[in-house]
Amino acid sequence: MSTPSLNTPADMLPAIERRWSPRAFSDRGVDHKQIESMISAAAMAPSAYNSQPWRFVYSLRNDEYWQSFVSVLDEFNRSWAQQASALILIASTPEHQNDGKTRALPYHQFDCGAAWMQLALQAAHLGLQTHAMAGIHRERAVSAQLLPDHWQLQVAVAVGYLGQANDLPATLRNQETRRPRLPLSAIAYAGRRATEVF
């Protein structure tokens, strides 16, 4: 696996440097304690009104729910993610109930993304890797009763220990590498109008 230079600063948090989105996972299992540690980190994310508009439903490989979780993935993602050690479904709600009142949460997806990122960083801290997938069949999560229909499934996340690229389907092996990032000069502009540079 090649590792392109990411031009990270010396004071970057180690978990941020370690995190990427592999598709090759080893057959080493993970346990409930590790998954709960990741979800505990996600639960500490900020959210509008502290609404915490996220829910996490997970399955460990080969438990009684595993095939239902795998069925939520589209065909492409299923081809590799079924080798992961766990799958986590992350859902969010566009409404918040508080003191008998309903408040709209137009930023629930943004908040859910913050929670996902903290989950991924905690996984990296534990020596695990994660890969979030939007290629999913959301209606299958409802029909399999993995989620109630008023929650919006955002992504499925494959979790596990890093495996070997050669274990992937042949069409994916050459893609199993960390991808470079744009330089800061291409994404950050101090004291300038965005319309001048975007």
Side-chain angles (χ1 to χ4, degrees):
M1 178 189 71
S2 61
T3 304
S5 172
L6 301 180
N7 298 316
T8 53
D11 59 354
M12 181 75 72
L13 290 173
I16 294 176
E17 289 190 282
R18 287 196 293 266
R19 190 218 65 81
W20 62 295
S21 300
R23 293 190 177 97
F25 291 97
S26 77
D27 59 5
R28 180 180 175 187
V30 301
D31 58 34
H32 292 282
K33 184 177 180 180
Q34 291 168 302
I35 300 297
E36 289 169 2
S37 175
M38 294 161 53
I39 294 174
S40 293
M44 296 298 293
S47 60
Y49 310 110
N50 192 33
S51 57
Q52 302 169 60
W54 44 65
R55 294 294 184 271
F56 307 87
V57 185
Y58 71 93
S59 174
L60 303 184
R61 186 174 57 214
N62 297 328
D63 71 14
E64 61 181 304
Y65 303 106
W66 184 250
Q67 290 307 318
S68 294
F69 276 71
V70 170
S71 73
V72 172
L73 309 179
D74 67 15
E75 183 178 358
F76 170 75
N77 286 322
R78 197 179 310 129
S79 71
W80 58 268
Q82 63 185 333
Q83 304 305 320
S85 296
L87 289 170
I88 303 174
L89 305 183
I90 304 180
S92 64
T93 178
E95 294 182 338
H96 177 52
Q97 303 288 335
N98 187 33
D99 294 331
K101 298 179 181 179
T102 300
R103 185 194 296 270
L105 297 175
Y107 310 112
H108 66 102
Q109 292 172 309
F110 180 84
D111 292 343
C112 199
W116 137 249
M117 193 72 262
Q118 293 199 179
L119 183 150
L121 293 178
Q122 180 67 5
H125 175 69
L126 297 174
L128 298 165
Q129 288 294 351
T130 53
H131 191 127
M133 299 164 279
I136 49 182
H137 299 286
R138 288 165 174 82
E139 71 284 355
R140 292 184 186 175
V142 174
S143 63
Q145 298 184 326
L146 302 176
L147 291 171
D149 58 9
H150 60 282
W151 282 81
Q152 298 180 14
L153 179 57
Q154 300 299 332
V155 293
V157 180
V159 182
Y161 291 94
L162 189 62
Q164 301 296 319
N166 287 340
D167 293 334
L168 289 169
T171 54
L172 294 178
R173 291 172 192 164
N174 290 336
Q175 301 178 39
E176 189 68 353
T177 181
R178 295 186 63 153
R179 298 182 181 183
R181 295 294 190 259
L182 294 170
L184 289 185
S185 60
I187 62 171
Y189 314 100
R192 299 171 69 182
R193 293 185 178 88
T195 52
E196 298 174 355
V197 289
F198 280 18

